[in-house]
PDB file of all heavy atoms in Angstrom:
ATOM      1  N   ILE A  51      18.150 162.660  11.889  1.00 96.00           N
ATOM      2  CA  ILE A  51      19.605 162.521  11.709  1.00 96.00           C
ATOM      3  C   ILE A  51      20.173 161.591  12.771  1.00 96.00           C
ATOM      4  O   ILE A  51      20.971 160.697  12.466  1.00 96.00           O
ATOM      5  CB  ILE A  51      20.293 163.904  11.754  1.00 96.00           C
ATOM      6  CG1 ILE A  51      19.857 164.747  10.553  1.00 96.00           C
ATOM      7  CG2 ILE A  51      21.817 163.755  11.797  1.00 96.00           C
ATOM      8  CD1 ILE A  51      20.254 166.204  10.639  1.00 96.00           C
ATOM      9  N   LEU A  52      19.763 161.776  14.030  1.00 96.00           N
ATOM     10  CA  LEU A  52      20.230 160.896  15.113  1.00 96.00           C
ATOM     11  C   LEU A  52      19.822 159.449  14.850  1.00 96.00           C
ATOM     12  O   LEU A  52      20.594 158.528  15.098  1.00 96.00           O
ATOM     13  CB  LEU A  52      19.677 161.351  16.466  1.00 96.00           C
ATOM     14  CG  LEU A  52      20.265 162.624  17.047  1.00 96.00           C
ATOM     15  CD1 LEU A  52      19.550 162.983  18.347  1.00 96.00           C
ATOM     16  CD2 LEU A  52      21.759 162.470  17.279  1.00 96.00           C
ATOM     17  N   GLU A  53      18.612 159.278  14.335  1.00 96.00           N
ATOM     18  CA  GLU A  53      18.148 157.919  14.068  1.00 96.00           C
ATOM     19  C   GLU A  53      18.981 157.264  12.973  1.00 96.00           C
ATOM     20  O   GLU A  53      19.351 156.095  13.072  1.00 96.00           O
ATOM     21  CB  GLU A  53      16.670 157.936  13.673  1.00 96.00           C
ATOM     22  CG  GLU A  53      16.074 156.551  13.562  1.00 96.00           C
ATOM     23  CD  GLU A  53      14.567 156.565  13.423  1.00 96.00           C
ATOM     24  OE1 GLU A  53      14.002 157.579  12.962  1.00 96.00           O
ATOM     25  OE2 GLU A  53      13.960 155.550  13.779  1.00 96.00           O
ATOM     26  N   LEU A  54      19.310 158.017  11.948  1.00 96.00           N
ATOM     27  CA  LEU A  54      20.150 157.481  10.870  1.00 96.00           C
ATOM     28  C   LEU A  54      21.558 157.154  11.354  1.00 96.00           C
ATOM     29  O   LEU A  54      22.129 156.129  10.988  1.00 96.00           O
ATOM     30  CB  LEU A  54      20.228 158.476   9.708  1.00 96.00           C
ATOM     31  CG  LEU A  54      18.989 158.594   8.837  1.00 96.00           C
ATOM     32  CD1 LEU A  54      19.125 159.763   7.871  1.00 96.00           C
ATOM     33  CD2 LEU A  54      18.753 157.298   8.084  1.00 96.00           C
ATOM     34  N   LYS A  55      22.119 158.035  12.174  1.00 94.00           N
ATOM     35  CA  LYS A  55      23.504 157.859  12.620  1.00 94.00           C
ATOM     36  C   LYS A  55      23.651 156.830  13.729  1.00 94.00           C
ATOM     37  O   LYS A  55      24.598 156.040  13.726  1.00 94.00           O
ATOM     38  CB  LYS A  55      24.078 159.204  13.103  1.00 94.00           C
ATOM     39  CG  LYS A  55      24.302 160.215  11.993  1.00 94.00           C
ATOM     40  CD  LYS A  55      24.683 161.554  12.570  1.00 94.00           C
ATOM     41  CE  LYS A  55      26.160 161.755  12.473  1.00 94.00           C
ATOM     42  NZ  LYS A  55      26.560 163.124  12.868  1.00 94.00           N
ATOM     43  N   TYR A  56      22.738 156.858  14.711  1.00 95.00           N
ATOM     44  CA  TYR A  56      22.930 156.068  15.932  1.00 95.00           C
ATOM     45  C   TYR A  56      21.735 155.192  16.295  1.00 95.00           C
ATOM     46  O   TYR A  56      21.734 154.562  17.351  1.00 95.00           O
ATOM     47  CB  TYR A  56      23.260 156.998  17.107  1.00 95.00           C
ATOM     48  CG  TYR A  56      24.447 157.869  16.830  1.00 95.00           C
ATOM     49  CD1 TYR A  56      24.304 159.242  16.670  1.00 95.00           C
ATOM     50  CD2 TYR A  56      25.727 157.326  16.682  1.00 95.00           C
ATOM     51  CE1 TYR A  56      25.407 160.049  16.396  1.00 95.00           C
ATOM     52  CE2 TYR A  56      26.815 158.120  16.408  1.00 95.00           C
ATOM     53  CZ  TYR A  56      26.646 159.483  16.269  1.00 95.00           C
ATOM     54  OH  TYR A  56      27.729 160.269  15.988  1.00 95.00           O
ATOM     55  N   ASP A  57      20.699 155.199  15.475  1.00 96.00           N
ATOM     56  CA  ASP A  57      19.507 154.396  15.713  1.00 96.00           C
ATOM     57  C   ASP A  57      18.795 154.777  17.015  1.00 96.00           C
ATOM     58  O   ASP A  57      18.246 153.926  17.723  1.00 96.00           O
ATOM     59  CB  ASP A  57      19.850 152.895  15.699  1.00 96.00           C
ATOM     60  CG  ASP A  57      18.641 152.031  15.419  1.00 96.00           C
ATOM     61  OD1 ASP A  57      17.715 152.500  14.727  1.00 96.00           O
ATOM     62  OD2 ASP A  57      18.608 150.883  15.909  1.00 96.00           O
ATOM     63  N   VAL A  58      18.835 156.070  17.359  1.00 96.00           N
ATOM     64  CA  VAL A  58      18.107 156.596  18.522  1.00 96.00           C
ATOM     65  C   VAL A  58      17.419 157.899  18.113  1.00 96.00           C
ATOM     66  O   VAL A  58      17.845 158.570  17.179  1.00 96.00           O
ATOM     67  CB  VAL A  58      19.036 156.869  19.735  1.00 96.00           C
ATOM     68  CG1 VAL A  58      19.706 155.593  20.204  1.00 96.00           C
ATOM     69  CG2 VAL A  58      20.055 157.939  19.444  1.00 96.00           C
ATOM     70  N   ARG A  59      16.358 158.237  18.811  1.00 95.00           N
ATOM     71  CA  ARG A  59      15.677 159.519  18.575  1.00 95.00           C
ATOM     72  C   ARG A  59      15.676 160.383  19.842  1.00 95.00           C
ATOM     73  O   ARG A  59      15.122 161.464  19.861  1.00 95.00           O
ATOM     74  CB  ARG A  59      14.244 159.292  18.097  1.00 95.00           C
ATOM     75  CG  ARG A  59      14.172 158.666  16.720  1.00 95.00           C
ATOM     76  CD  ARG A  59      12.759 158.606  16.187  1.00 95.00           C
ATOM     77  NE  ARG A  59      12.171 159.906  15.937  1.00 95.00           N
ATOM     78  CZ  ARG A  59      12.384 160.656  14.860  1.00 95.00           C
ATOM     79  NH1 ARG A  59      13.214 160.247  13.925  1.00 95.00           N
ATOM     80  NH2 ARG A  59      11.792 161.829  14.731  1.00 95.00           N
ATOM     81  N   TYR A  60      16.266 159.866  20.908  1.00 96.00           N
ATOM     82  CA  TYR A  60      16.262 160.601  22.173  1.00 96.00           C
ATOM     83  C   TYR A  60      17.563 161.388  22.338  1.00 96.00           C
ATOM     84  O   TYR A  60      18.546 161.161  21.641  1.00 96.00           O
ATOM     85  CB  TYR A  60      16.071 159.649  23.352  1.00 96.00           C
ATOM     86  CG  TYR A  60      17.120 158.557  23.446  1.00 96.00           C
ATOM     87  CD1 TYR A  60      18.372 158.799  23.985  1.00 96.00           C
ATOM     88  CD2 TYR A  60      16.845 157.273  22.983  1.00 96.00           C
ATOM     89  CE1 TYR A  60      19.332 157.806  24.066  1.00 96.00           C
ATOM     90  CE2 TYR A  60      17.794 156.274  23.060  1.00 96.00           C
ATOM     91  CZ  TYR A  60      19.036 156.552  23.602  1.00 96.00           C
ATOM     92  OH  TYR A  60      19.982 155.561  23.675  1.00 96.00           O
ATOM     93  N   VAL A  61      17.533 162.305  23.281  1.00 97.00           N
ATOM     94  CA  VAL A  61      18.716 163.078  23.644  1.00 97.00           C
ATOM     95  C   VAL A  61      18.899 162.950  25.148  1.00 97.00           C
ATOM     96  O   VAL A  61      17.952 162.584  25.849  1.00 97.00           O
ATOM     97  CB  VAL A  61      18.561 164.566  23.223  1.00 97.00           C
ATOM     98  CG1 VAL A  61      18.611 164.700  21.727  1.00 97.00           C
ATOM     99  CG2 VAL A  61      17.295 165.191  23.782  1.00 97.00           C
ATOM    100  N   PRO A  62      20.068 163.208  25.682  1.00 98.00           N
ATOM    101  CA  PRO A  62      21.229 163.741  24.979  1.00 98.00           C
ATOM    102  C   PRO A  62      22.008 162.656  24.221  1.00 98.00           C
ATOM    103  O   PRO A  62      22.054 161.505  24.629  1.00 98.00           O
ATOM    104  CB  PRO A  62      22.098 164.303  26.112  1.00 98.00           C
ATOM    105  CG  PRO A  62      21.771 163.435  27.290  1.00 98.00           C
ATOM    106  CD  PRO A  62      20.300 163.082  27.125  1.00 98.00           C
TER     107      PRO A  62
END
Side-chain angles (χ1 to χ4, degrees):
I51 294 169
L52 288 177
E53 188 169 24
L54 286 171
K55 291 172 101 173
Y56 305 112
D57 202 29
V58 299
R59 293 187 66 81
Y60 58 80
V61 290

